[in-house]
Amino acid sequence: MVETQIAARGITDAATLRAMRKVPRHLFMPAASARNAYSDGPEPIGYGQTISQPFIVAYMTEVAKPARGKTALEIGTGSGYQAAVLAEIIDTVYTIEIVPELAREASTRFKMLGYGNIVARYGDGYKGWPEHAPYDIIIVTAAADHIPQPLKDQLAEGGRLVMPVGNPAAVQHLILLIKKKGGIIEKSLVPVRFVPLKRLGN
Ligand code: SAH
């Protein structure tokens, strides 16, 4: 998977490639679809949600510039796969999931696989997780038509935020924000298709 889908498509960051080789994607999927674990696309994980395509996980990881000493916030834990890939590289990953069943399943999985540096909770990630802010990395794995202001506020100086932005029902663009000297630099990367960012109470 890493050779043909990820390295061949231009991912070069050594830490990202190492993490993608190490994390067993099949253990993040329902048993019934685990035989598709190393194929080249998103896969259903129940509750209308998906585990992202391996290449997209690698791409978002590389763009976020993970390194030891950094902390990250992920919105949309889902299966927990993206959080685990980050946790192989950085110090601590905080992750929030809005579907209670998925949040519970992911927490069990992190414990089973020994990811003591992932802190997971149920909730609406729109408002981020101010208690542990600021974050060097914020990764949002669900799409919306704008980047939530609380997430921009919780980004550290020099921090990087990656999120699919656009029409949640169609194709979005992966957007990279970099906070520099209080200002924000915004770059549009590649077209992507993610499930919509939901709001509690909507
Ligand atoms: N990172 C995941 C991808 C999951 S798909 C993985 O590696 O498997 C996106 C997830 O975002 C879904 O599980 C969905 O329930 C969740 N989600 C949607 N809106 C959310 C919100 N406002 N806060 C937290 N999670 C949300």
Side-chain angles (χ1 to χ4, degrees):
M1 175 188 92
V2 172
E3 287 314 315
T4 61
Q5 300 172 29
I6 294 170
R9 292 187 190 141
I11 303 295
T12 57
D13 177 56
T16 300
L17 292 172
R18 202 178 314 121
M20 294 298 297
R21 284 201 175 92
K22 185 154 176 215
V23 180
R25 192 168 184 259
H26 63 279
L27 297 182
F28 290 80
M29 294 169 52
S33 44
R35 64 193 160 83
N36 297 332
Y38 300 95
S39 55
D40 194 11
E43 291 288 334
I45 55 171
Y47 312 96
Q49 305 304 326
T50 57
I51 179 171
S52 307
Q53 180 190 13
F55 172 73
I56 289 296
V57 173
Y59 185 83
M60 289 176 86
T61 304
E62 181 175 71
V63 161
K65 288 204 190 295
R68 197 153 293 149
K70 291 190 178 184
T71 62
L73 173 66
E74 180 198 28
I75 309 304
T77 316
S79 68
Y81 181 65
Q82 171 76 75
V85 169
L86 279 172
E88 290 288 346
I89 309 170
I90 72 170
D91 280 17
T92 310
V93 180
Y94 297 93
T95 181
I96 307 177
E97 169 56 52
I98 204 167
V99 175
E101 292 86 352
L102 289 175
R104 210 172 312 127
E105 285 170 23
S107 287
T108 306
R109 204 168 267 144
F110 296 143
K111 217 165 285 162
M112 219 176 61
L113 297 174
Y115 284 104
N117 61 337
I118 302 179
V119 187
R121 74 163 173 90
Y122 154 77
D124 182 351
Y126 188 95
K127 294 188 176 130
W129 195 338
E131 288 80 359
H132 305 290
Y135 303 97
D136 304 299
I137 295 168
I138 298 180
I139 288 188
V140 185
T141 64
D145 61 6
H146 67 281
I147 298 177
Q149 186 61 42
L151 300 184
K152 294 184 189 176
D153 295 343
Q154 290 169 33
L155 195 60
E157 173 61 31
R160 299 164 80 88
L161 182 157
V162 192
M163 174 174 177
V165 180
N167 180 349
V171 172
Q172 310 99 34
H173 274 82
L174 215 51
I175 300 295
L176 167 67
L177 292 191
I178 305 172
K179 201 181 257 189
K180 269 206 178 130
K181 301 200 170 89
I184 296 246
I185 300 168
E186 184 173 330
K187 290 182 192 165
S188 180
L189 305 172
V190 294
V192 286
R193 200 182 270 268
F194 274 82
V195 297
L197 186 74
K198 297 191 264 189
R199 299 300 315 276
L200 276 183
N202 285 3

